[in-house]
Amino acid sequence: MAELHVIGQIASASGFPSHNLFCKWGIHAGGGWRVIEGLTEGQTHVDNPSWQEAAVWCHPIDVHFATKGVQGWPKINLQIYHYDRFGRSEVYGYGFSFIPSSPGTHKVDVVTWRPIGSLTEQFKQHFLGGGAQLKSPDLVHSATDRYRLQTETMGTVHLELSVILRNFTKFGVET
């Protein structure tokens, strides 16, 4: 079987309206992919930078896949959360990116967004916190109903990923 090994980190996040951020992540692949070793989901620590604009996480990613084809190529799904001054966590952004398909080291910037509700919901969010959330986080990386959402851009998450491909040509798998 052909193999894909992804080693890297969720390095940082920048451009968000406020600090005190953490990230929940997951790597999703199609049915023809099998995880040989490593974690496909996790959560970073909370970073509240007081003197810089970026939240720094340096959270490791190390996952090894086996596959018979490129259909369902893995993608990383990110959910950024924010702790407000009352200690409540709220979703601050969603984003995803495909894992690079060429071997080597890659810097990937994932632009995040969040849904916005009606004017009344926006007032509630401003004064009470919280805000509109997705019922199904799978909507982030599947394009079925995403086009109907009204969203606003948030910040950018910076990934540093090294990709190793093994036996792709031996098994006739072309990237």
Side-chain angles (χ1 to χ4, degrees):
M1 294 185 87
E3 297 177 29
L4 167 70
H5 198 154
V6 181
I7 304 167
Q9 67 178 340
I10 302 173
S12 61
S14 61
F16 285 89
S18 60
H19 301 295
N20 222 3
L21 303 172
F22 68 96
C23 176
K24 290 184 180 181
W25 62 274
I27 298 178
H28 303 280
W33 291 78
R34 182 175 53 93
V35 176
I36 296 174
E37 192 172 3
L39 297 174
T40 57
E41 61 183 23
Q43 178 177 320
T44 68
H45 65 277
V46 178
D47 188 29
N48 188 10
S50 58
W51 55 273
Q52 61 185 12
E53 291 298 317
V56 178
W57 294 314
C58 297
H59 183 81
I61 294 175
D62 187 356
V63 65
H64 190 178
F65 290 99
T67 185
K68 292 182 180 178
V70 295
Q71 187 174 6
W73 190 268
K75 49 194 150 205
I76 186 164
N77 181 23
L78 305 172
Q79 296 178 26
I80 311 305
Y81 287 82
H82 161 72
Y83 275 115
D84 66 8
R85 63 178 182 231
F86 302 111
R88 299 174 299 192
S89 66
E90 62 181 341
V91 176
Y92 229 36
Y94 298 98
F96 86 96
S97 177
F98 283 96
I99 300 297
S101 60
S102 60
T105 302
H106 306 273
K107 291 185 184 252
V108 179
D109 290 336
V110 181
V111 178
T112 62
W113 53 269
R114 72 174 173 185
I116 56 174
S118 65
L119 190 57
T120 305
E121 291 170 334
Q122 290 178 36
F123 277 121
K124 285 181 184 178
Q125 178 181 352
H126 179 73
F127 291 109
L128 301 176
Q133 296 183 15
L134 298 177
K135 288 184 180 179
S136 172
D138 293 338
L139 188 63
V140 174
H141 58 83
S142 65
T144 53
D145 291 327
R146 193 174 59 214
Y147 69 91
R148 288 194 267 163
L149 292 174
Q150 290 184 336
T151 62
E152 65 179 335
T153 58
M154 294 304 284
T156 304
V157 177
H158 310 284
L159 308 174
E160 296 172 2
L161 301 174
S162 294
V163 175
I164 301 170
L165 302 177
R166 182 174 178 221
N167 295 330
F168 271 70
T169 54
K170 179 180 177 182
F171 289 100
V173 179
E174 294 183 24
T175 56

